[in-house]
Amino acid sequence: METKFFSQEELDKAVALLAKGELVAFPTETVYGLGALATNEQAVKSVYAAKGRPSDNPLIVTVADEMMMADYAREIPERARKLIKEFWPGPLTLLLFVKPGSLPKAVTGGLETVAFRCPDDELTRSLIAKLGAPIVGPSANTSTKPSPTTAEHVYHDLNGRIAGIIDGGPARVGLESTIIDLSVKDPVVLRPGEITPQQLSSVLDEEVLINTGKVTDQAIPKAPGMKYRHYAPSAPVVVVDTVQDFSDLNLNKQTGVIALDTVLEKLNLPAANKFSLGDSLVSADHSLFDGLRYFDDQEQIKQIYVQGFNGTQASLAYMNRLNKAAAGHHYQAK
Ligand code: TXA
Ligand code: MG
């Protein structure tokens, strides 16, 4: 199968493919998603196959608006309405009870809940509106690899396995959406993202807990995706928490450094061995996955050092993804 790129003007071609049960990747403000008609069980199953994703890891359902979501949610609780009013369209995914029988089991992994997302991307919302039904939207990467933040990343991972990719340019945020579970007594963040627990808490006017799940392979995790290897390039990743430690590292042809400009300036590395996170946490969020992919494509790189950011709510999402990519490995100064 040849994977075609679609421009904004060719949206109707993408709609037609999705309607037929084919897979089309789509842009969002967070990362690119892998779309399939959510009501078509066969199409949904082929998403797992294309990504190499374990079949018990449920998929996000991407809707054009709240009205579309209402057809698939058992009910829309008051908390959800408040959050939708404030944050949709935007990088917030809501976990609600599914309306029984409205979606194939392949979407929910057999759970009673379903994750709803309405992305801040006009092209994608109009795609879904034209289709007239939601699309599933896992990140459009090969399972275990960093999520794609450009159409080229998607092509790199899924060329030949999907019908098309809608090119919407680089994703604004660069890390996946915040997931909040509203199916439980007290709302809890299952995956941190650009929208922080504090922001959610202030809109809901109640405490919002964080449980990014210290799940093991044995436990039944609340967000099933959390138990799998994630965001990992082939070379091992190590988090460097203290800027001063970069000068102690044994940097050479086989190492890669992903850090802010201020750090890279002092290290004087060749282009093949460094990747810039820009000048702020926002640009770091935007570029982290791109950086991990940059070194993943270079065989000579055997070790990747990545700058850590600690302490604030704003860095929760970045550190959550980085810790997974590094499997918890942090540099220990001697
Ligand atoms: O920003 C995003 O959310 C991106 C863009 C493409 O929309 N999508 C995304 O999807 O990150 P994915 O599948 O890569 O991550 C969704 C996470 C997975 O860890 C999955 O286990 C969890 O959400 N999830 C989905 N449905 C769930 C459910 N019913 N209960 C618990 N966790 C669920
Ligand atoms: Mg993913």
Side-chain angles (χ1 to χ4, degrees):
M1 177 193 298
E2 193 203 331
T3 302
K4 296 199 188 76
F5 279 95
F6 296 119
S7 67
Q8 202 167 332
E9 292 72 37
E10 297 169 304
L11 207 59
D12 289 341
K13 291 185 186 166
V15 172
L17 285 168
L18 286 165
K20 277 200 311 189
E22 302 274 350
L23 309 187
V24 177
F26 59 93
T28 83
E29 78 283 34
T30 58
V31 301
Y32 275 72
L34 180 51
L37 185 58
T39 49
N40 178 332
E41 175 149 42
Q42 224 35 53
V44 172
K45 283 187 173 158
S46 58
V47 167
Y48 288 94
K51 278 178 64 78
R53 179 175 175 124
S55 61
D56 63 344
N57 190 2
L59 303 174
I60 287 180
V61 170
T62 319
V63 294
D65 51 33
E66 181 179 351
M67 226 166 63
M68 185 180 270
M69 179 178 87
D71 291 339
Y72 304 92
R74 199 178 73 189
E75 70 213 322
I76 304 181
E78 185 52 30
R79 284 171 173 140
R81 291 192 195 281
K82 282 187 185 168
L83 294 175
I84 286 170
K85 189 155 178 261
E86 184 72 20
F87 297 113
W88 273 20
L92 178 67
T93 296
L94 307 175
L95 202 63
L96 303 177
F97 286 106
V98 64
K99 186 180 279 183
S102 68
L103 290 166
K105 213 174 144 191
V107 174
T108 57
L111 299 172
E112 284 189 342
T113 53
V114 60
F116 289 105
R117 162 140 159 78
C118 180
D120 186 14
D121 187 296
E122 267 182 53
L123 204 57
T124 289
R125 288 203 313 281
S126 103
L127 171 86
I128 299 168
K130 283 182 176 198
L131 189 64
I135 54 179
V136 291
S139 48
N141 51 288
T142 307
S143 197
T144 79
K145 290 297 173 189
S147 298
T149 58
T150 65
E152 290 71 30
H153 291 165
V154 179
Y155 189 79
H156 176 282
D157 280 18
L158 299 177
N159 175 27
R161 293 200 232 166
I162 63 176
I165 304 169
I166 302 168
D167 192 349
R172 177 181 67 79
V173 179
L175 301 176
E176 306 89 337
S177 61
T178 306
I179 303 180
I180 185 169
D181 188 354
L182 298 177
S183 73
V184 285
K185 191 166 150 282
D186 299 310
V188 49
V189 169
L190 301 180
R191 180 175 71 183
E194 185 183 54
I195 296 171
T196 63
Q198 257 157 18
Q199 284 175 284
L200 296 167
S201 181
S202 90
V203 170
L204 292 176
D205 202 17
E206 64 184 315
E207 195 188 357
V208 171
L209 306 169
I210 309 171
N211 178 9
T212 60
K214 300 234 181 306
V215 283
T216 67
D217 283 338
Q218 287 81 41
I220 297 173
K222 186 66 202 188
M226 296 186 305
K227 71 180 170 177
Y228 299 108
R229 190 175 141 84
H230 248 101
Y231 313 121
S234 344
V237 173
V238 174
V239 186
V240 180
D241 295 291
T242 310
V243 167
Q244 287 77 13
D245 285 345
F246 277 101
S247 41
D248 296 343
L249 301 173
N250 175 22
L251 300 178
N252 54 56
K253 277 192 189 137
Q254 300 192 329
T255 57
V257 173
I258 301 176
L260 290 179
D261 285 333
T262 47
V263 172
L264 293 179
E265 272 159 21
K266 296 195 184 109
L267 297 175
N268 201 15
L269 300 167
N273 302 91
K274 65 178 173 187
F275 189 93
S276 169
L277 291 176
D279 58 6
S280 66
L281 180 59
V282 171
S283 60
D285 284 357
H286 178 80
S287 301
L288 175 65
F289 289 152
D290 202 8
L292 293 171
R293 282 174 175 270
Y294 179 73
F295 290 122
D296 199 24
D297 285 340
Q298 296 187 54
E299 253 175 47
Q300 82 281 8
I301 299 293
K302 305 294 181 210
Q303 177 85 284
I304 306 170
Y305 294 106
V306 187
Q307 182 169 3
F309 296 90
N310 274 311
T312 63
Q313 286 235 336
S315 66
L316 277 176
Y318 177 95
M319 289 309 293
N320 170 268
R321 306 313 188 277
L322 178 52
N323 274 315
K324 286 186 182 182
H329 291 123
H330 288 244
Y331 176 75
Q332 303 285 344
K334 292 175 192 87

